Amino acid sequence: MPQPDPTYAPTDLTPAGWGRRILAILIDWGTSWAAAAALVETGVVEHSGTPGTVILIAEMAFFTALLGGSFGKLLTRVRVVRHDDPSRPVGLLRALVRTALTFLLIPPLLTFEGRGLHDLAAGTRTVTI
């Protein structure tokens, strides 16, 4: 079994506040829809609706799995960590579960001890770095 990387986990595991979380999702939405609009403008796709959503889901899931947070989260100094071992990467499956549940909007709004239902289901938590 690989050893955890001690440099991966933030030293301060303070739950991220609502302001940063909302700003992060707005950044993610804006950049994803801008990318989709660019694809429409260049003729790669015909309509920006579905591609915008696909880009947003892919960006959030893959960045969270690889870097510990979506583009918006990284810009706002927020990281998603594993609840059981913050020194280990979240992984793609947890990131996909978390991202899919985020789109229901209710899970992020219902929090328990600073963790939304999407974090509880994925075994993660969102912290400030």
Side-chain angles (χ1 to χ4, degrees):
M1 176 177 269
Q3 294 297 317
D5 179 1
T7 61
Y8 183 81
T11 57
D12 180 12
L13 294 178
T14 304
W18 280 105
R20 287 184 188 217
R21 291 177 192 216
I22 291 169
L23 181 57
I25 193 75
L26 290 175
I27 291 169
D28 289 331
W29 278 339
T31 56
S32 295
W33 287 94
L39 292 173
V40 170
E41 187 66 30
T42 59
V44 174
V45 294
E46 292 182 19
H47 185 269
S48 64
T50 302
T53 303
V54 170
I55 291 169
L56 180 59
I57 291 170
E59 180 267 330
M60 289 175 70
F62 288 115
F63 275 28
T64 298
L66 296 174
L67 303 173
S70 65
F71 180 67
K73 280 189 175 44
L74 297 175
L75 282 178
T76 58
R77 310 277 301 150
V78 171
R79 178 176 279 171
V80 177
V81 298
R82 287 175 58 142
H83 184 65
D84 62 345
D85 185 357
S87 67
R88 294 179 56 205
V90 172
L92 187 56
L93 181 59
R94 289 175 194 259
L96 284 169
V97 167
R98 188 180 186 287
T99 299
L101 291 175
T102 298
F103 278 84
L104 297 177
L105 290 179
I106 293 171
L109 296 176
L110 296 175
T111 60
F112 303 92
E113 297 177 6
R115 296 174 67 204
L117 291 179
H118 62 310
D119 278 325
L120 291 171
T124 59
R125 57 185 160 153
T126 306
V127 297
T128 303
I129 55 173

